[in-house]
Amino acid sequence: MKKTNPILVHLILGILFIAGIIGITAEAASLYTLVSTHQEETESATAKGKRISSDLYGNLEFYTVLEDDETWSEVTRDEFEQLDDGDTIEIAKKDSSDNKAYRSEIYKSILFIVLYAIGPSHYISFLIARTRRVKGWGWLGWPSGVTLQLLLYGFLAAILIYGYSSIGKMVFNAVQSYTGTQHETEAIVTASDADINSGRHETNYYHLALQYEDTDGNTIHMTKEVRPSVYKNSTKSAEISFPEDDPYRVHTKGFSLSDMFFYSTKLVPEVITILLTLILSLIPRYIFSNFSYGSWKRRRKKKKQSKEQSKRDRRKHKLIMKNKKRYEKSQKKKPKRKNARSS
């Protein structure tokens, strides 16, 4: 920091710090007000029917069929169970001008918060550089380095959160589907659809539209994702089971060895999550095994000795340069004395 003027840098970055904090506070307040007061535009629609969608692991989504255009609108389970044909419901307007403006304002506020954070981050990095005695303008790279680290850790955290939430849902759905008294029945296959992806990472989807009755005789329409073997063997009907107290937790019977490859393609995120967890769990073990308290203490002592040796070397170098200058000065004066004697 010797080549820079600390007072001037303090002044400039201090002003940017204050301006950034004021800007962040104002934008955060504006964003909070925008989110808390926003009301999504809705419109009235008439329900014509009800449908349920279940993925391969039993995760449920509930829909009502709209009378006007036969589209499906997602509802909660409570709304689904209370809804009857002909009921009027309120649904969100798709791509309304109000919703577009709302999203635009949110993105704009987030962008300004990021821009306002540049000043405070550089001022903090300058203060850290001063305490650590970083020379020159090397402190400018500190915010970028921290940002990259945060992005890396955030990416890893997002993968783990997504992976373990997916595993948690799978376990929860399996427990809900296979526990309790099971009711076995035959469902009518009203439609079927297969989405075969022949890309580099093959992921296939097989769906059956099922119609069946619960234990009370109520008709249920469900679109269920199934295994390839079930899809091929269920052209007109399918054998299904579900808990007597929860007729939506449907699972199909039969398992083929060919389904194992299918599950291997479906469980890629979960496998990556487990492998990543194993790898990350080895890092602390490596750190603690190779950087114990004794080795840390030795490194600290060695670093302190190195720093002291560096100070001694600098003092020695200064003394040598000082003596050298004295010697050169004395050598320049000697010829002048000789000339004086000769005259």
Side-chain angles (χ1 to χ4, degrees), residues 79-332:
E79 292 173 337
F80 178 86
E81 292 177 343
Q82 297 174 6
L83 194 64
D84 295 321
D85 290 355
D87 288 352
T88 301
I89 60 173
E90 294 292 325
I91 61 172
K93 281 186 178 180
K94 295 181 179 179
D95 298 327
S96 65
S97 58
D98 181 65
N99 291 336
K100 288 181 179 179
Y102 170 70
R103 290 193 293 268
S104 176
E105 288 298 323
I106 286 181
Y107 299 150
K108 192 183 297 182
S109 293
I110 294 174
L111 176 61
F112 276 116
I113 288 174
V114 173
L115 292 176
Y116 285 136
I118 294 176
S121 64
H122 276 83
Y123 186 59
I124 293 171
S125 67
F126 171 74
L127 295 177
I128 294 174
R130 289 284 294 173
T131 57
R132 295 185 178 182
R133 297 182 181 180
V134 179
K135 295 182 179 180
W137 297 94
W139 55 272
L140 285 172
W142 181 79
S144 301
V146 172
T147 302
L148 291 175
Q149 290 181 6
L150 291 176
L151 288 175
L152 175 61
Y153 295 142
F155 178 70
L156 293 176
I159 293 177
L160 293 178
I161 292 172
Y162 171 79
Y164 280 109
S165 64
S166 177
I167 293 173
K169 286 182 180 179
M170 288 170 54
V171 174
F172 175 79
N173 290 328
V175 171
Q176 293 291 314
S177 299
Y178 289 94
T179 56
T181 304
Q182 297 290 311
H183 178 75
E184 298 182 1
T185 185
E186 187 176 60
I188 300 173
V189 177
T190 58
S192 59
D193 180 63
D195 184 8
I196 309 298
N197 180 10
S198 58
R200 182 176 180 183
H201 302 287
E202 185 176 352
T203 303
N204 302 331
Y205 296 89
Y206 302 90
H207 293 92
L208 294 177
L210 305 176
Q211 178 183 322
Y212 61 96
E213 294 182 351
D214 61 10
T215 54
D216 296 327
N218 300 314
T219 302
I220 297 175
H221 296 275
M222 172 179 287
T223 301
K224 170 71 176 171
E225 185 182 357
V226 296
R227 301 181 298 276
S229 61
V230 175
Y231 180 84
K232 292 175 183 177
N233 297 327
S234 304
T235 55
K236 295 183 179 180
S237 63
E239 295 292 330
I240 63 171
S241 298
F242 54 83
E244 290 183 352
D245 58 346
D246 195 349
Y248 306 140
R249 299 288 180 181
V250 170
H251 54 91
T252 55
K253 290 187 174 182
F255 188 84
S256 174
L257 292 176
S258 60
D259 295 333
M260 294 181 66
F261 176 76
F262 173 73
Y263 275 105
S264 67
T265 61
K266 288 289 186 178
L267 296 173
V268 170
E270 289 75 19
V271 173
I272 291 175
T273 301
I274 295 173
L275 291 176
L276 184 60
T277 303
L278 292 174
I279 293 172
L280 293 177
S281 64
L282 294 175
I283 295 176
R285 183 178 178 183
Y286 172 79
I287 292 174
F288 286 115
S289 62
N290 291 275
F291 300 96
S292 60
Y293 176 75
S295 61
W296 174 82
K297 196 173 181 180
R298 287 193 296 271
R299 287 199 315 275
R300 185 177 177 86
K301 185 178 180 181
K302 187 176 180 181
K303 187 176 181 180
K304 187 177 180 180
Q305 291 175 348
S306 177
K307 195 177 288 186
E308 291 175 353
Q309 182 64 39
S310 178
K311 290 180 180 179
R312 288 195 293 268
D313 291 341
R314 285 198 296 270
R315 286 197 296 266
K316 185 177 179 181
H317 179 71
K318 287 181 180 178
L319 184 60
I320 292 173
M321 294 302 296
K322 190 175 181 180
N323 292 333
K324 185 178 180 181
K325 288 180 180 179
R326 286 179 179 176
Y327 176 76
E328 290 177 351
K329 191 175 181 180
S330 62
Q331 289 295 105
K332 289 180 181 178

